[in-house]
Amino acid sequence: MFAAEVDWVIADNPVVPWIRPRSTRADVAAHYAALAAHTVAEDAFATVDAIVAEGAEAMVAGSMGGTVRATGRSFRSPFALRLSVDGDGLICRMCVYEDSLAVAAACQPDASDSFKPTGDAAA
């Protein structure tokens, strides 16, 4: 469904193994392979609340979530996608808007520790 070259816009997040920009059909396949490898399939969900399309452009809004396999921590987020299709009907742009902080927190073994003061301030 994706063109050979893709403008995949998502905020890079070094804490989340599957979230990073992509530029080719192979990169997109690698995204979904990494997502599957790092999350629990049975806990994954996505619901679509609205689709708006005009010509070669579409916006999709909804909610998604899952569980990170390594930590057992869950995440939930609203999302919006902007999709563009080329003349062959293949997706050539995908911009993802989500609560990346919630996803990153689920990837950390104890996300609450990342927001606690360290050193003498914690005493």
Side-chain angles (χ1 to χ4, degrees):
M1 295 179 59
F2 286 88
E5 292 186 17
V6 179
D7 182 12
W8 178 289
V9 181
I10 186 168
D12 193 13
N13 192 326
V15 176
V16 184
W18 62 89
I19 295 181
R20 65 177 180 81
R22 310 289 177 157
S23 61
T24 67
R25 181 183 295 138
D27 284 343
V28 172
H31 164 81
Y32 288 107
L35 178 63
H38 292 285
T39 59
V40 177
E42 298 79 20
D43 294 349
F45 75 91
T47 59
V48 174
D49 299 325
I51 300 173
V52 178
E54 183 176 328
E57 300 291 323
M59 296 291 292
V60 180
S63 299
M64 60 89 175
T67 301
V68 176
R69 188 179 308 279
T71 64
R73 297 176 62 85
S74 295
F75 59 91
R76 305 280 182 269
S77 174
F79 73 85
L81 300 176
R82 178 182 178 191
L83 302 168
S84 302
V85 296
D86 63 17
D88 295 324
L90 298 173
I91 299 169
C92 59
R93 179 188 313 152
M94 183 162 147
C95 301
V96 180
Y97 306 96
E98 64 185 5
D99 182 352
S100 57
L101 182 59
V103 179
C107 289
Q108 297 176 1
D110 185 355
S112 62
D113 286 344
S114 65
F115 301 106
K116 290 181 183 174
T118 59
D120 292 335

